[in-house]
Amino acid sequence: MTEPAAGRSSSFGEGGDVTVVDRFGVWLSKRQIEKVVGPLVGKDVADVGCGYDATFMRNVLGEVGTATLTDVSLAPDLLAHPKVRAIEGFLPETMEQVADASLDVVLCMSVIEHLWEPDRTLAHFRRVLRPGGVCAVNVPSWRGKRALEYSAFKLGTSPAEEMDDHKMYYDPRDLWPLMVRAGFVPHAIRCFRHKFGLNTFAVATVTEKHL
């Protein structure tokens, strides 16, 4: 998922230690994706930092055209799936292997907060999208920081190593300018709170005017 400087050596969920809290968070993200991105039938979709088991993409592999999956490591059956292009490694280098204007949708759920230089990765998202393509990004908010750390360090219901790998938290006013700097035009960006205000979600569309 993250840059080598972060010191990660495995993907989220690789050890099979995904908690109930984490599963609930994945489910909430899935609902938001379905709401703001729309049907994925026949589309070329990337899930960047998808996690070892690519939980969301597994549920839609039957309907997408192709799935580009990137993370530090991926489950063997995903590597062998005929619809999957698997890219193992760190961001932003993994995105350099994806061709310009080759995707319809880029998903990046709970990844950007782990990066020292998120701008570089977000710029790649804009580069690889086709006209009309959609980028969806989820990150924890500053309000979420307190809840996540309490869950990890006090209750033990979230992996502490994930929290200690966070580099930044994002409210809409933090994430929106990053999307603009990445090349998405302001009027085509929606940035809002979700997951009870504990996360910030951005969805940006590539419009004809800024091609």
Side-chain angles (χ1 to χ4, degrees):
M1 179 197 299
T2 57
E3 299 147 314
R8 293 182 69 99
S9 59
S10 62
S11 298
F12 174 75
E14 186 169 355
D17 54 352
V18 179
T19 68
V20 172
V21 172
D22 294 324
R23 292 182 188 280
F24 182 55
V26 170
W27 180 77
L28 288 174
S29 290
K30 177 178 181 293
R31 289 188 64 195
Q32 193 62 254
I33 291 168
E34 292 170 344
K35 180 179 178 180
V36 301
V37 176
L40 299 176
V41 178
K43 293 183 177 180
D44 297 317
V45 181
D47 192 346
V48 179
C50 60
Y52 184 72
D53 284 313
T55 305
F56 172 76
M57 288 302 297
R58 278 187 187 276
N59 294 325
V60 297
L61 278 176
E63 60 187 82
V64 300
T66 64
T68 298
L69 304 179
T70 83
D71 214 316
V72 176
S73 52
L74 297 164
D77 64 314
L78 292 172
L79 300 177
H81 196 285
K83 281 192 177 182
V84 170
R85 180 188 182 189
I87 307 175
E88 293 181 309
F90 295 94
L91 289 169
E93 287 75 18
T94 49
M95 289 304 300
E96 294 172 1
Q97 300 181 46
V98 183
D100 294 359
S102 61
L103 297 172
D104 300 303
V105 177
V106 172
L107 307 174
C108 187
M109 303 291 111
S110 301
V111 174
I112 297 299
E113 67 273 16
H114 294 277
L115 304 180
W116 285 115
E117 299 179 286
D119 306 61
R120 294 174 60 196
T121 294
L122 291 170
H124 278 298
F125 294 170
R126 168 64 187 86
R127 176 184 62 78
V128 302
L129 283 169
R130 296 170 178 144
V134 178
C135 175
V137 175
N138 177 80
V139 285
S141 67
W142 285 101
R143 179 186 297 178
K145 177 180 184 294
R146 181 177 298 177
L148 287 169
E149 291 180 349
Y150 185 79
S151 174
F153 303 122
K154 297 295 185 181
L155 301 179
T157 51
S158 294
E161 62 273 16
E162 289 291 327
M163 300 307 108
D164 277 339
D165 191 48
H166 286 180
K167 312 297 187 297
M168 176 67 177
Y169 292 85
Y170 297 89
D171 289 333
R173 66 179 182 179
D174 304 309
L175 184 57
W176 186 88
L178 286 182
M179 302 299 289
V180 174
R181 285 199 294 272
F184 296 99
V185 295
H187 81 269
I189 302 168
R190 290 176 55 211
C191 203
F192 53 91
R193 301 177 190 275
H194 84 125
K195 292 185 182 180
F196 316 105
L198 303 181
N199 280 235
T200 297
F201 201 96
V203 57
T205 304
V206 178
T207 67
E208 296 291 342
K209 289 185 178 181
H210 71 297
L211 296 175

